[in-house]
């Protein structure tokens, strides 16, 4: 069997095990940085790394959509959904998005794989969710300027869901 045939024969369950192993590594890495350099350093490096990855994902999605700005808020919402699809496997997340008005996209997360992995690694104490940095990275990669990017709820703090609002900045000249 060739290497390509072997990869093609990998089941989705096997791939999920690979993802889980890497995410467990990531959570343990975070815990190691926190232990050696402090919680604040671990949170900062985590957010910085995730924003970098999210920006790259946003650029790929923008290219997939032809590199042009979204026609409207609904298409922009679909682009954010495509970013989530490229970053987080469906099996380990429950994310919904909605256009609230002419300038706001809301993302609601009821299951967050990263938080699950951090809990499994025993690293929840002092962990700060980097969700707004992920969404800022997606926006950067998509070429979208944000006027506001905030969290109004967080699973980490016991809320039933993470709720994130992204207010799109008016286009220059508007």
């Amino acid at each position: 069997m060739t290497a390509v045939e072997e990869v093609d024969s990998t089941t989705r369950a096997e791939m999920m095990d690979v993802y889980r192993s890497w995410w467990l590594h990531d959570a343990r890495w975070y815990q190691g940085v926190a232990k050696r350099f402090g919680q604040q350093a671990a949170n900062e490096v985590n957010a910085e790394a995730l924003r970098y990855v999210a920006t790259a994902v946003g650029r790929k999605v923008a290219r997939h959509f032809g590199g042009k700005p979204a026609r409207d808020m609904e298409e922009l919402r679909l682009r954010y959904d495509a970013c989530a699809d490229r970053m987080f496997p469906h099996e380990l997340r429950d994310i919904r998005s909605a256009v609230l008005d002419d300038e706001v996209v809301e993302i609601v997360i009821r299951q967050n794989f990263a938080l699950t992995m951090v809990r499994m690694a025993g690293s929840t104490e002092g962990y700060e969710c980097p969700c707004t940095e992920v969404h800022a990275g997606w926006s950067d990669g998509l070429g979208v300027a944000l006027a506001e990017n905030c969290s109004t709820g967080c699973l980490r703090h016991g809320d039933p869901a993470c709720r994130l609002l992204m207010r799109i900045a008016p286009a220059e000249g508007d």
Side-chain angles (χ1 to χ4, degrees):
M1 180 181 308
T2 69
V4 171
E5 290 169 330
E6 191 171 319
V7 168
D8 287 344
S9 70
T10 302
T11 68
R12 184 71 176 158
E14 290 169 330
M15 286 305 297
M16 291 309 298
D17 282 342
V18 170
Y19 293 145
R20 284 184 185 101
S21 293
W22 276 106
W23 293 323
L24 186 56
H25 162 272
D26 186 55
R28 295 302 293 194
W29 170 90
Y30 172 89
Q31 194 173 44
V33 171
K35 183 178 178 182
R36 287 168 185 79
F37 304 107
Q39 197 74 53
Q40 182 175 346
N43 286 321
E44 289 171 2
V45 171
N46 187 46
E48 182 180 305
L50 278 167
R51 184 166 184 160
Y52 179 87
V53 171
T55 300
V57 166
R59 286 186 185 124
K60 288 178 185 177
V61 169
R63 282 192 300 273
H64 177 77
F65 278 86
K68 296 179 181 170
R71 289 184 307 264
D72 55 27
M73 289 297 288
E74 180 59 22
E75 184 177 306
L76 180 58
R77 182 194 68 77
L78 292 173
R79 291 180 186 204
Y80 283 121
D81 285 352
C83 287
D85 288 345
R86 287 180 180 241
M87 251 178 107
F88 311 120
H90 291 278
E91 294 87 349
L92 298 177
R93 68 180 164 100
D94 180 358
I95 300 174
R96 302 287 183 264
S97 64
V99 174
L100 298 186
D101 61 34
D102 290 343
E103 57 188 36
V104 177
V105 173
E106 178 185 51
I107 297 178
V108 177
I109 305 167
R110 292 190 187 340
Q111 178 187 1
N112 181 323
F113 84 93
L115 192 52
T116 300
M117 295 301 129
V118 168
R119 282 183 182 132
M120 286 174 58
S123 297
T124 55
E125 186 66 34
Y127 175 78
E128 292 177 17
C129 294
C131 294
T132 56
E133 288 299 314
V134 170
H135 300 130
W138 289 347
S139 298
D140 290 346
L142 292 171
V144 173
L146 296 178
E148 181 180 16
N149 179 19
C150 66
S151 170
T152 61
C154 183
L155 288 165
R156 164 72 179 88
H157 299 293
D159 293 323
C162 296
R163 291 189 176 280
L164 301 133
L165 298 176
M166 294 180 292
R167 184 173 307 280
I168 309 308
E172 289 188 27
D174 282 355

